[in-house]
Structures are given as structure tokens and as C-alpha cells.
Amino acid sequence: EPGEPKTGPRSVPIPPVLVTMLREWIDENGRMNMAYYVVVFDGAIDHLWAAIGLGEHYRQRTQHGTFAVEAHIIYLAELLMGDRVQVATQNLGADGKRIHLAHEMRRSDTDALVAQQEVMLLHVSLLTRRVVPFLPEVREMIAAVAESHAGLPRPDWVGRRLTMPTMAPPA
């Protein structure tokens, strides 16, 4: 798309997104508020969309886009004002209407893992607000990325569910 960085589908993984923590993202505890992890991960999705032709130009021209239907975040370390991170994206799979992604957020200076996100997105008509098949022009790119990522190891944290352990009743 014009004005958007181009990355071929064979670049495994998609080049990471680099982000610096902003003052407005810092909460009363002096660390990045949990809501802004979502903002950073969403930026990584936008980066992928731009790379495969599903970005803003596509939305404006076709009146199609993607909606997240489910997302899970695992917070592993706090981030402070000015910290820099990189987010890598892995396509875990795709079909005619859905794409399943995994993100890993790492400190830029130490490569230490900070957070992980698993997200499922649906392709929708922005006119009808209904799920519709990907258009042929992006279906091939999505399939190529899915194929190129198929050989990557599946992260062991993907598919986790949030649950409390069963507690024995007090004696």
C-alpha cells in the first residue's frame, strides 16, 4: 500500500515493531498501565496488516477490516517510562475468514520477555458489520505468511486458559 512499509510474506518472522513507553502510558504505580500493552500489541497487528496489504488503504478502498474476537495477554515484567520494546508477530494459522496470531514483547536492550499476546481476528464488512471471507487480493498474502510461519515452533503458552486452581475446602 502507498506510504506503508513493504515486507514480503517470506520474512519469518515479520520484522518486529519498535516502541518506546510514553508518559501518558504510565500509571500511578510508575509503570506502564496494563491497557497500553494492548495498544502496543495492536500496533504490531497494524504493522502486519501494512506488510500484507490489509492496512488503512485496504479498509478505505474495500470497506473491509478485521475485528479482534478474543485476546489473551500474559504480563511477565513491568515497563517504566522510556523503556523500549520490540514486538514480534507469528501467524499461528488462518482460514478464509480468520487469522490467529501470537505476539511476544521483549525489551530492546536485553531481549528479556515482557509480555505475550494471543489473538484471533475476524475479517468483516464494515458496511454490514458481518464476518465475510478475505478478499482474493489479501487471501494469498495471508496464506503465504501462514505457510512461511507453519514451520516455526508453536509457543507453549498459546491456548492457555484463565482459571483458578481447585481449592480443598477448609478442614
Side-chain angles (χ1 to χ4, degrees):
E1 296 185 36
E4 295 181 336
K6 292 290 185 192
T7 303
R10 297 290 175 199
S11 57
V12 178
I14 300 294
V17 176
L18 302 173
V19 180
T20 301
M21 300 309 100
L22 302 175
R23 177 167 304 289
E24 56 267 26
W25 295 355
I26 305 303
D27 66 17
E28 65 278 356
N29 297 313
R31 62 189 193 153
M32 187 164 85
N33 181 279
M34 67 184 229
Y36 292 100
Y37 286 78
V38 176
V39 170
V40 173
F41 285 130
D42 192 55
I45 294 170
D46 290 343
H47 180 73
L48 173 61
W49 286 177
I52 66 172
L54 245 167
E56 184 62 30
H57 183 259
Y58 174 83
R59 278 188 297 281
Q60 289 178 359
R61 188 175 48 75
T62 66
Q63 295 297 301
H64 288 86
T66 58
F67 291 177
V69 68
E70 187 169 349
H72 301 182
I73 296 177
I74 303 168
Y75 301 92
L76 301 168
E78 65 182 2
L79 292 168
L80 307 175
M81 174 67 188
D83 283 348
R84 292 180 51 83
V85 297
Q86 57 186 1
V87 179
T89 300
Q90 181 178 346
N91 184 335
L92 299 170
D95 64 18
K97 299 177 182 179
R98 298 176 297 182
I99 189 166
H100 185 195
L101 303 175
H103 294 114
E104 289 194 341
M105 184 185 302
R106 296 180 175 275
R107 292 185 177 281
S108 295
D109 56 351
T110 66
D111 201 42
L113 192 58
V114 174
Q116 299 157 315
Q117 182 195 50
E118 177 181 9
V119 60
M120 180 74 70
L121 299 119
L122 302 175
H123 187 252
V124 298
S125 163
L126 299 175
L127 299 174
T128 66
R129 314 307 271 191
R130 300 275 187 223
V131 178
V132 296
F134 286 109
L135 298 180
E137 62 198 77
V138 294
R139 188 177 313 133
E140 288 180 20
M141 288 294 287
I142 291 168
V145 172
E147 181 183 326
S148 71
H149 288 198
L152 295 175
R154 188 175 183 86
D156 61 359
W157 51 269
V158 167
R160 275 178 51 161
R161 64 186 184 119
L162 187 63
T163 185
M164 289 285 291
T166 304
M167 303 287 288

